[in-house]
């Protein structure tokens, strides 16, 4: 099996059967073998620098009904909120002082946040914080909308593909949502010139090793600048409330494999990973991740942006969380840097 990891390192891809074999049969030996390679690749490129992104969850209104997600429109228990432009700018100001040079504006697909409002928001932030990068993560939009945001100054876009397998996609989403459109969005974003991030959940309901193999092959074909992966975690008010969360070890293994196949990719150790293991983020870094995305949203709304249960770091103010994270990074020999952390 180590041979397959060696092949992945030189070829940057395996075929589907090889991936399935690796994913279904790996053990501690392979986990450590892949982790050592992945960490070496990451430190050769980034040293011990960790890029930080200030995450601003500016609306939890959503017109979609992803079955796994706590803020799906059918969840009438979700307490909805929407941050104003002023509140968002305040988050950026706080973040800037703390050393953040990337702001990630993430939200549900909220029709109230029209293209005009997004354009205004992006250009205002760009004006006030000229040395910062803006990442949008607001779902599926038309090519024209994506272009408008880009022209207003947005630099990057995160849109997890969620699963590259059609059948699996249908089990996670209502029929109004299609994998075809989601993939097309990613292609459009890339063509427009964004640094693009795709990604998927590990251990989502009905996911098989074949699905994950297809995810990895999709990533190879898209060649994204960023890949976000984290374990699926159930949310009490969804149909998948009783499903188990995704495997921690498998998530770590996948972080390593993605680093090995896409050497320069920007790879976050996600909040979901920190949620299922108290040292999840740090372990993610030690197996090949190089990005952290701490929360800059105002404390009162943090818990309301509830995609899954038990979300980590919801009780700390932005400054406390940053300090905590710095200490934790020091503990493992890494540190944050004050720069945009663009794709090289
Ligand atoms: N568990 C883990 N991740 C989730 N996401 C949404 N719901 C869940 C969940 N229950 C992820 C999706 C989405 C990202 C913003 O959060 O992959 O793209
Ligand atoms: Fe956020 Fe510790 S990293 S509180």
């Amino acid at each position: 099996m180590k041979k397959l990891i060696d092949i992945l390192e030189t070829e940057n891809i395996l075929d589907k059967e090889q991936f399935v074999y690796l994913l279904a049969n790996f053990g501690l030996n392979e986990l450590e073998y892949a982790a050592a390679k992945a960490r070496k690749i990451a430190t050769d490129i980034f040293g011990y620098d960790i890029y930080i992104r200030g995450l601003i969850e500016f609306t939890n209104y959503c017109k979609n009904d992803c079955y796994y997600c706590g803020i799906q429109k059918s969840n009438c228990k979700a307490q909805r909120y929407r941050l104003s432009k002023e509140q968002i700018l305040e988050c950026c100001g706080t973040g800037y002082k703390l050393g953040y040079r990337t702001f990630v504006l993430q939200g549900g697909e909220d029709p109230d946040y029209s293209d005009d409002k997004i354009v205004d928001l992006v250009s205002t932030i760009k004006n006030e914080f000229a040395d910062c990068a803006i990442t949008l993560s607001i779902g599926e939009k038309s090519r024209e909308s994506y272009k408008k945001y880009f022209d207003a100054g947005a630099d990057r876009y995160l849109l997890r593909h969620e699963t590259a397998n059609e059948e699996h996609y249908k089990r996670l989403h209502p029929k109004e949502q299609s994998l075809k459109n989601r993939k097309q969005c990613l292609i459009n974003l890339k063509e427009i010139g964004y640094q693009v991030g795709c990604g998927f959940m590990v251990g989502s309901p009905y996911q098989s090793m074949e699905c994950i193999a297809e995810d990895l092959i999709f990533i190879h074909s898209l060649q994204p600048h960023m890949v976000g992966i984290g374990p699926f975690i159930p949310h009490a008010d969804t149909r998948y409330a009783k499903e188990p969360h995704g495997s921690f070890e498998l998530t770590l293994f996948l972080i390593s494999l993605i680093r090995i196949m896409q050497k320069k990719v920007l790879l976050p150790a996600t909040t979901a990973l920190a949620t299922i293991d108290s040292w999840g983020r740090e372990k993610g870094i030690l197996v090949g991740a190089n990005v952290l995305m701490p929360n800059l949203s105002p404390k009162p709304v943090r818990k309301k942006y509830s995609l899954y249960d038990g979300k980590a770091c919801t009780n700390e103010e932005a400054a406390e969380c940053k300090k905590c994270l710095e200490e934790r990074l020091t503990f493992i020999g890494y540190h944050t840097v004050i720069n945009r952390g663009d794709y090289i």
Side-chain angles (χ1 to χ4, degrees):
M1 257 189 290
K2 287 186 181 164
K3 180 114 180 291
L4 289 176
I5 299 171
D6 291 340
I7 298 174
L8 185 64
E9 188 178 18
T10 48
E11 308 289 319
N12 302 322
I13 190 68
L14 296 175
D15 63 33
K16 189 173 166 187
E17 289 64 38
Q18 291 172 318
F19 271 133
V20 171
Y21 182 77
L22 194 56
L23 294 167
N25 297 294
F26 80 95
L28 195 54
N29 271 331
E30 291 73 26
L31 197 61
E32 284 181 352
Y33 189 70
K37 267 194 199 305
R39 195 200 312 190
K40 169 85 169 55
I41 294 168
T43 51
D44 283 350
I45 299 171
F46 306 104
Y48 292 87
D49 291 356
I50 296 298
Y51 297 154
I52 48 168
R53 323 302 195 187
L55 182 63
I56 303 171
E57 299 155 332
F58 70 99
T59 172
N60 71 352
Y61 283 87
C62 191
K63 66 179 172 65
N64 293 336
D65 252 328
C66 306
Y67 298 148
Y68 46 84
C69 181
I71 64 168
Q72 58 183 273
K73 76 159 179 275
S74 302
N75 182 11
C76 45
K77 288 196 193 153
Q79 294 177 42
R80 305 290 169 174
Y81 74 90
R82 190 178 279 129
L83 299 184
S84 65
K85 181 180 171 185
E86 290 65 36
Q87 285 175 302
I88 296 170
L89 287 167
E90 205 178 306
C91 293
C92 296
T94 306
Y96 193 89
K97 286 194 208 98
L98 291 170
Y100 290 94
R101 294 296 177 270
T102 292
F103 302 118
V104 181
L105 299 176
Q106 187 174 84
E109 290 192 25
D110 178 355
D112 205 69
Y113 254 105
S114 62
D115 282 359
D116 287 348
K117 287 188 192 168
I118 298 289
V119 163
D120 175 54
L121 191 58
V122 169
S123 48
T124 310
I125 297 175
K126 270 288 178 188
N127 252 321
E128 287 194 27
F129 306 95
D131 56 339
C132 293
I134 297 184
T135 305
L136 291 176
S137 179
I138 52 175
E140 297 175 35
K141 309 276 176 179
S142 68
R143 193 193 175 96
E144 294 68 45
S145 299
Y146 286 151
K147 181 76 169 67
K148 284 189 210 163
Y149 314 151
F150 186 76
D151 292 340
D155 303 272
R156 312 187 187 126
Y157 205 102
L158 301 177
L159 184 73
R160 290 191 178 178
H161 64 284
E162 310 299 359
T163 172
N165 178 282
E166 277 290 350
E167 296 311 307
H168 187 215
Y169 197 90
K170 287 196 190 113
R171 306 197 91 157
L172 298 179
H173 304 93
K175 61 177 182 317
E176 291 74 25
Q177 292 170 246
S178 85
L179 177 58
K180 200 162 158 269
N181 190 58
R182 210 158 174 93
K183 287 183 172 172
Q184 189 57 51
C185 284
L186 284 163
I187 293 167
N188 292 345
L189 287 162
K190 233 189 140 184
E191 284 176 0
I192 290 168
Y194 284 96
Q195 294 173 44
V196 172
C198 66
F200 60 95
M201 292 174 289
V202 180
S204 58
Y206 304 104
Q207 185 183 56
S208 62
M209 294 306 159
E210 281 77 13
C211 293
I212 301 180
E214 289 177 38
D215 288 322
L216 296 174
I217 292 167
F218 173 72
I219 290 170
H220 180 76
S221 67
L222 180 67
Q223 292 290 311
H225 308 87
M226 309 169 276
V227 177
I229 66 163
F232 160 78
I233 301 174
H235 185 289
D237 306 324
T238 65
R239 69 175 66 185
Y240 294 136
K242 296 261 149 42
E243 296 292 323
H245 68 66
S247 153
F248 184 64
E249 290 73 23
L250 180 56
T251 308
L252 293 184
F253 191 48
L254 283 164
I255 290 175
S256 297
L257 295 185
I258 293 167
R259 170 64 64 209
I260 293 168
M261 58 185 270
Q262 298 273 115
K263 311 224 168 3
K264 294 192 298 181
V265 79
L266 299 164
L267 196 52
T270 56
T271 305
L273 195 61
T275 299
I276 62 165
D277 183 294
S278 57
W279 285 89
R281 256 191 300 235
E282 294 73 19
K283 290 176 191 169
I285 289 169
L286 292 172
V287 304
N290 74 311
V291 173
L292 291 176
M293 300 172 67
N295 210 308
L296 284 180
S297 314
K299 221 177 109 181
V301 306
R302 290 229 194 135
K303 281 199 168 63
K304 294 184 186 161
Y305 197 83
S306 166
L307 311 182
Y308 48 79
D309 292 333
K311 186 177 164 197
C313 297
T314 48
N315 289 318
E316 291 77 11
E317 293 292 350
E320 296 171 80
C321 186
K322 173 83 187 325
K323 185 159 173 282
C324 171
L325 169 157
E326 299 281 1
E327 285 168 6
R328 285 163 160 262
L329 283 180
T330 306
F331 192 73
I332 59 167
Y334 286 74
H335 49 252
T336 63
V337 285
I338 304 183
N339 69 38
R340 292 173 32 131
D342 282 299
Y343 185 82
I344 315 163

